[in-house]
Amino acid sequence: MDTVRCASGRLASIVMRIGILGTGNMAATLGGAWRRAGHDVLVGGRNPASGGATLRDAATHGELVLLAVPAQVAPPLAADLADVLAGRVVLDCTNPLEPGPDGPMLMIPPGESVAARIAAAAPGAAVVKAFNLCHDSIWTLDPPHFEGLPLAVPYCAATPEAGERVAALIASMGCTPAPCGGLARAPYLEATAALAIGVWFAGGRARAIFPEPAQAT
Ligand SMILES: NC(=O)c1ccc[n+]([C@@H]2O[C@H](COP(=O)([O-])OP(=O)(O)OC[C@H]3O[C@@H](n4cnc5c(N)ncnc54)[C@H](OP(=O)(O)O)[C@@H]3O)[C@@H](O)[C@H]2O)c1
């Protein structure tokens, strides 16, 4: 097993090759967090500068591949790269949201998810919905801890093996993996983003909504 002592001093037990499709905010901040954790990250864009990586280069590089593009772009992009994505873990951080009168609304019908559309577009890939709940700036915190506790990162994974890889990735960032079931439950993560963003925009404390497990039931 490869290990590396990263800049932050954390020991990343598994060095992962990660490809990021997209060069925007999430690519920069999640990519930065993963590099700090010691991983080997390649970011690719649709209009690479001379010598820069293309989307296909980045997909080829990653045993894990993050789709850091708009929600409506992710399924067709996955279809374009389905040959490369086969056999890889595909991370979906997208939020299919549009503004509504009382806060953000889902752009897709209830029960559907972008994650499932990506899985249908790239049937050989193991899709994991994750990293969609926090603003990109959170991934610049080193470590992302709040009130003395590591940030919990929920994820829904198409397969247990893909879930284990993503759990290891989350742990390497100094966060706590929070498994939330299979891809059939990804619509709940996408809806949770709509709900939480609405609470935050209204000035509420989304973090304060949930009790500790002992008081939960
Ligand atoms: N930002 C956040 O706080 C946050 C939090 C949670 C989830 N997310 C989700 O993460 C995803 C990325 O968000 P972001 O904030 O990083 O967006 P962003 O800064 O706007 O970056 C989007 C990236 O997608 C690329 N792109 C757009 N259309 C494309 C196409 N047709 N083909 C290939 N690439 C295309 C853009 O390329 P160009 O530069 O060439 O236009 C850009 O590199 C979104 O789905 C969003 O819902 C964002």
Side-chain angles (χ1 to χ4, degrees):
M1 183 185 297
D2 288 334
T3 60
V4 65
R5 176 82 58 185
C6 42
S8 64
R10 272 198 299 275
L11 195 65
S13 55
I14 304 171
V15 178
M16 301 183 197
R17 276 180 291 105
I18 305 174
I20 300 182
L21 311 189
T23 57
N25 298 311
M26 290 293 274
T29 59
L30 267 177
W34 290 334
R35 285 195 179 103
R36 280 198 304 279
H39 301 298
D40 175 6
V41 178
L42 183 67
V43 176
R46 60 176 165 174
N47 297 311
S50 172
T54 64
L55 296 165
R56 185 166 283 270
D57 291 337
T60 304
H61 174 82
E63 48 191 315
L64 288 86
V65 179
L66 173 73
L67 291 167
V69 295
Q72 62 276 22
V73 169
L77 180 57
D80 283 350
L81 296 172
D83 57 326
V84 184
L85 296 178
R88 300 173 200 266
V89 174
V90 171
L91 285 159
D92 168 29
C93 71
T94 69
N95 282 321
L97 303 179
E98 60 189 356
D102 308 315
M105 300 292 290
L106 288 168
M107 291 192 289
I108 59 176
E112 294 189 22
S113 69
V114 179
R117 292 181 181 185
I118 293 167
V127 177
V128 180
K129 185 95 205 176
F131 301 109
N132 70 314
L133 294 188
C134 287
H135 189 260
D136 58 75
S137 58
I138 295 303
W139 309 116
T140 67
L141 304 177
D142 186 21
H145 286 187
F146 301 96
E147 299 165 6
L149 286 176
L151 175 70
V153 180
Y155 62 92
C156 293
T159 66
E161 296 75 22
E164 281 173 22
R165 298 305 305 279
V166 173
L169 176 64
I170 291 167
S172 75
M173 302 162 72
C175 299
T176 302
C180 292
L183 218 54
R185 303 189 82 232
Y188 308 152
L189 270 186
E190 295 179 6
T192 300
L195 190 74
I197 293 168
V199 171
W200 286 317
F201 272 54
R205 294 186 68 226
R207 182 173 174 73
I209 287 174
F210 297 105
E212 290 298 319
Q215 284 87 42
T217 55

